[in-house]
Amino acid sequence: MIWIAIRMLTGDPQKFFGLVFGIAFSTLLITQQLTIFVNLLERGASGVYNVSSADVWVMDPVSRTTDVAYAMPSTALDKVRGVPGVEWAVPHIRANASVRTKDGDLEGVAVIGVDDATLIGLPKNMVEGSVDVLSQPDSVIIDDVGTTRMFPDASPIGERLELNDQRAVIRGIADAIPSFTSTVVLYTKYSNALNFVPGTRNRLSFVLVGKADGLTSQELVDRIEAETGLRARTREQFARDGVDFIIENTGIPLNFGITVALGFIVGVAIVGLTFSLFIRDNIKQFGALKAIGVTNGTIRRMVAAQAGLVGLIGYGLGVLGTVGFIYAFSANPTFKGFYIPWQIPLISLVAVTLILALTGWLALRNVLKTEPASVFR
Amino acid sequence: MSGPAISTRGVTRDFKAGQQTITVLHGIDLDVKAGELTFLVGESGSGKTTLISIMCGILWPTLGEVEVFGTDIYDLSDDDLVEFRLQNIGFIFQQYNLIPSIDAASNAAVPLIAQGMDRHEARKRAVAMLEKLNIGDQAGKLPNQLSGGQQQRVAIARALVHEPRLVVCDEPTAALDAASGRRVMDLLREVAVAEDRACIIVTHDNRIFDMADRILVLEDGKVTHDGKHMPEDH
Ligand SMILES: Nc1ncnc2c1ncn2[C@@H]1O[C@H](COP(=O)(O)OP(=O)(O)O)[C@@H](O)[C@H]1O
Ligand SMILES: [Mg+2]
């Protein structure tokens, strides 16, 4: 009977495609929007993820994220270095600046000053050039997304910039996770950064810490906070802080939430209507089957099989569509590094199952209510 | 076989029509024998469809009992009654109600498939039945590729393919011209009437009354005539 159910469905291509389209559309909308949402949120943690070697971030007690930081006096570095369990501690500066390009355009950039000796604070990989270029005077390394933004046509290597009235030369391109706002990032040595960033005292944004063996990051955080009075966060906590900051300070969760809900509602509407129409068109046949001797249980299984087939194909197409979307836009800096966390297809699968269970149940009610005696009417 | 194929005792059926209740059947006592072509005849609205629906187990009587081949069918559980119909009753619906997206053979095979028979085996038997009905060459066609008469034969094949002991048929000739109507009745007599099988045909088509073995006349929910021929005054 399942075979008959499937043939009933596929024998009506218009409704079959309508149903598949409805599910595919919902899946696509939900999966794609959730994917963009999660990836965008994770951008809030990009500053932390780009510095993979730091176990603990130490900052002024009022600092909140890599981008919302209040500078500390340089003595903070020595205080942190004095805490037992700190294997190494290096200074890290993050500041905003304006650059004037050769064409005279003004662009807001983030300047990141990394430890002169160890270069801890640079992204792990380079797209072009080596990290050694920072030893040359006035050198900066630009991030790859910044490159596509500021120099869409030609290589930026060797380009001169005016950075807060100081001369800077781009000598390398880093492979970095873009920030939430895709701001252009210029990496330079800490000592250089002090020249680029105005002000005289208190310019140390963070102290990056590597922990010694034998204690956890959390233990080290507690110890640093107790002994220095500064704020310390583990890598994971600080990444989470960046994500939370976006959640709390932007309309993004609400906007994406609305779109996902719309995807669900549109799915229910399209699939519900089409399913009901399909059932109504076949109500005589279902009635005949009931009279001939098909139980309600079997009818339920038949409709479930129809819903299952539609769900399988529609869901597959929707997820494929999302993968295709991510792939097609992977070259676009806005979508750099986007991936589909495994939870998201699972969520849309649950949504699709809900849509089909709901609409299938509604459609089924009519069939179950049909009196077998109606076939003689 | 001993005893009647169908026996109804005191079958009454009410329908609610808005505020009031109308009684469509008034205490019907009937025995239908196997091996005969039994006609249920009466004016439109006299209760023929209601009675045949009750006799084949798809409509509950308000009062009374129905035995089909010795089984008190309205004493069965819902699922057992469905199973009873599947094993014992063949239906020929007026509108055929064929499934449009499967071919003639598969349509005719539906009762066997519903019984759980392998689809290919079921189709093989259905094709044999279609051949018996002289439309074996149409077995692979979809219902909408068949003429009305051919569709009806597919519906007849579906009613007979599982060799049910009772075949019921509502107004089989209503949509046909006189000659085709008689041909269908000849066909039904040939394939649907057997020693151990009862066949009931509901009709008010006076062109075929002479083809019955037994005619039951229903008037206002009561049986007013029972015989080989129609009463004089009709
Ligand atoms: N489901 C129903 N609800 C209400 N009235 C019904 C229903 N089925 C049949 N009737 C009424 O019962 C009477 C007999 O109907 P039916 O058995 O279809 O007669 P026939 O088949 O002889 O034309 C009619 O008056 C009809 O309106
Ligand atoms: Mg009728």
Side-chain angles (χ1 to χ4, degrees), chain A residues 59-87:
Chain A
M59 65 206 84
D60 185 275
V62 300
S63 294
R64 295 187 58 185
T65 71
T66 50
D67 298 317
V68 183
Y70 191 74
M72 305 176 283
S74 51
T75 51
L77 180 60
D78 293 324
K79 280 203 239 171
V80 173
R81 281 180 173 157
V83 176
V86 171
E87 172 89 19

Side-chain angles (χ1 to χ4, degrees), chain A residues 3 7 285 290-292 375, chain B residues 85-86 91 93 98 101 119:
Chain A
W3 173 80
R7 291 298 300 269
Q285 281 74 28
K290 286 178 72 162
I292 287 169
V375 291
Chain B
R85 293 201 300 265
L86 182 58
F91 296 87
F93 310 113
L98 300 175
S101 53
R119 181 155 55 87

Side-chain angles (χ1 to χ4, degrees), chain B residues 143-156:
Chain B
N144 66 9
Q145 297 168 321
L146 301 175
S147 70
Q150 289 170 329
Q151 288 183 34
Q152 189 176 41
R153 284 170 190 236
V154 176
I156 294 172

Side-chain angles (χ1 to χ4, degrees), chain A residues 376-377, chain B residues 13-17 22-25 42-51 59 170-171 202 204 218:
Chain A
F376 279 144
R377 300 274 156 222
Chain B
R13 173 72 205 207
D14 299 337
F15 284 111
K16 285 236 173 343
I22 52 166
T23 302
V24 175
L25 298 176
E43 303 270 293
S44 186
S46 57
K48 306 182 295 292
T49 298
T50 305
L51 180 56
L59 183 71
D170 197 11
E171 310 272 9
V202 163
H204 65 278
L218 208 57

Side-chain angles (χ1 to χ4, degrees), chain A residues 104-313:
Chain A
D105 294 333
L106 205 60
E107 175 100 30
V109 299
V111 174
I112 296 182
V114 303
D115 182 41
D116 286 37
T118 61
L119 299 185
I120 288 172
L122 279 182
K124 229 185 345 219
N125 299 311
M126 296 290 287
V127 175
E128 208 176 326
S130 128
V131 295
D132 299 336
V133 297
L134 286 188
S135 55
Q136 299 175 45
D138 306 330
S139 278
V140 295
I141 291 174
I142 190 170
D143 72 323
D144 46 351
V145 169
T147 306
T148 48
R149 207 153 132 176
M150 272 175 78
F151 306 96
D153 305 319
S155 166
I157 302 290
E159 286 288 338
R160 273 157 217 285
L161 302 171
E162 219 175 281
L163 189 56
N164 284 350
D165 295 333
Q166 301 288 318
R167 195 182 83 108
V169 184
I170 298 174
R171 292 218 166 84
I173 303 174
D175 178 6
I177 307 166
S179 70
F180 179 68
T181 49
S182 290
T183 313
V184 179
V185 180
L186 298 175
Y187 295 92
T188 186
K189 280 191 174 176
Y190 187 78
S191 54
N192 249 338
L194 292 179
N195 296 330
F196 293 139
V197 178
T200 44
R201 46 189 284 271
N202 291 8
R203 278 178 289 169
L204 176 61
S205 315
F206 299 98
V207 176
L208 306 181
V209 176
K211 67 177 181 65
D213 292 340
L215 82 172
T216 65
S217 298
Q218 184 60 51
E219 283 163 355
L220 188 55
V221 160
D222 294 341
R223 228 184 256 179
I224 291 171
E225 289 195 335
E227 296 199 11
T228 64
L230 297 168
R231 181 171 192 252
R233 302 289 277 164
T234 67
R235 192 178 124 77
E236 293 73 26
Q237 287 166 346
F238 205 39
R240 180 73 217 182
D241 289 346
V243 171
D244 287 347
F245 187 82
I246 291 180
I247 293 178
E248 286 158 21
N249 292 283
T250 68
I252 285 189
L254 181 68
N255 281 318
F256 279 89
I258 290 171
T259 313
V260 168
L262 275 181
F264 187 81
I265 292 167
V266 169
V268 168
I270 297 180
V271 176
L273 270 177
T274 318
F275 222 158
S276 295
L277 277 178
F278 167 72
I279 294 288
R280 194 184 305 162
D281 281 359
N282 287 280
I283 200 81
K284 277 267 166 199
Q285 281 74 28
F286 277 115
L289 291 177
K290 286 178 72 162
I292 287 169
V294 176
T295 58
N296 273 343
T298 303
I299 300 267
R300 274 194 199 96
R301 280 193 288 281
M302 289 175 74
V303 174
Q306 290 164 342
L309 180 73
V310 164
L312 219 64
I313 299 177

